[in-house]
């Protein structure tokens, strides 16, 4: 069985401005993920530069920086079984035209440059991005969801 993981998710400025916060969060909660950190914040140029450091020098970097700092985002730490892979599936392909029907990007985005949401692409990226946006004391993981109890209760497998 795959392990419980954490991943970083950000509802981008276009998602916040369009009033999609509740609908997007509901997708993760409906799937059974536990949100252990969440905040609304304005991304500063310094914070954006840390987040997107791997894109420095690329032709789209300036547009990306403008976009992510153009309004508030909702930053989240999402926890659960195979969180990175599963959350990315819920989010959909970066280009909404290639996103699976029913994914967040297929449902709410039209163009790649304004694709509503970000989700970490690996456990390493998730850890790095969580550290950029959250202090350890801003993560509240000392509670157990109902689904978490069902998925991770090893006692029920003992015979």
């Amino acid at each position: 069985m795959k392990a419980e993981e954490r991943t970083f998710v950000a509802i981008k400025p276009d998602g916040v401005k369009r009033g999609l916060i509740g609908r997007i969060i509901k997708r993760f909660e409906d799937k059974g993920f536990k949100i252990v950190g969440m905040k609304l914040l304005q991304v500063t140029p310094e914070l954006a530069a840390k987040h997107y450091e791997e894109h420095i020098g690329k032709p789209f970097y300036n547009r990306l920086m403008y976009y992510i700092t153009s309004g508030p985002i909702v930053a989240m730490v999402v926890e659960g079984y195979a969180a990175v892979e599963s959350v990315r599936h819920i989010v959909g392909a970066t280009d909404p035209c290639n996103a699976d029907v029913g994914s967040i990007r297929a449902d709410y985005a039209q163009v790649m440059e304004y694709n509503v949401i970000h989700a970490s692409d690996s456990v390493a990226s998730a850890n790095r991005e969580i550290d950029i946006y959250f202090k350890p004391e801003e993560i509240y993981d000392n509670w157990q969801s109902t689904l978490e109890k069902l998925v991770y209760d090893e006692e029920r497998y003992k015979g």
Side-chain angles (χ1 to χ4, degrees):
M1 175 151 66
K2 289 187 177 182
E4 183 175 68
E5 296 174 340
R6 284 185 181 161
T7 192
F8 176 76
V9 175
I11 302 173
K12 295 178 179 178
D14 58 322
V16 173
K17 291 175 184 176
R18 291 175 55 203
L20 300 174
I21 296 169
R23 283 180 263 182
I24 290 172
I25 291 170
K26 184 173 177 7
R27 301 272 186 114
F28 301 118
E29 290 182 327
D30 284 350
K31 182 72 173 180
F33 286 109
K34 185 165 85 169
I35 297 172
V36 297
M38 182 167 54
K39 59 183 165 180
L40 179 72
L41 70 136
Q42 177 66 49
V43 177
T44 63
E46 296 77 23
L47 197 59
K50 276 180 156 177
H51 186 141
Y52 292 118
E53 67 186 1
E54 72 272 14
H55 298 304
I56 292 173
K58 294 181 180 173
F60 58 85
Y61 181 73
N62 288 338
R63 283 192 324 272
L64 183 63
M65 293 293 286
Y66 173 78
Y67 167 52
I68 202 66
T69 60
S70 67
I73 68 164
V74 174
M76 294 183 280
V77 180
V78 177
E79 187 176 89
Y81 176 78
V84 172
E85 179 182 358
S86 188
V87 164
R88 286 192 58 88
H89 187 72
I90 293 166
V91 165
T94 304
D95 184 343
C97 293
N98 299 323
D100 289 340
V101 172
S103 68
I104 291 169
R105 288 179 175 148
D107 288 351
Y108 299 123
Q110 291 186 20
V111 295
M112 188 163 55
E113 288 79 8
Y114 304 102
N115 62 12
V116 179
I117 192 165
H118 166 82
S120 301
D121 63 2
S122 68
V123 172
S125 291
N127 292 333
R128 185 181 75 79
E129 292 168 354
I130 289 167
D131 287 345
I132 290 170
Y133 288 93
F134 289 88
K135 299 173 188 164
E137 62 269 16
E138 294 176 313
I139 297 173
Y140 304 93
D141 60 356
N142 58 348
W143 59 281
Q144 188 174 47
S145 70
T146 304
L147 186 60
E148 185 179 19
K149 175 77 172 149
L150 294 172
V151 172
Y152 295 106
D153 184 6
E154 293 297 323
E155 291 300 313
R156 68 187 176 122
Y157 298 114
K158 293 182 180 176

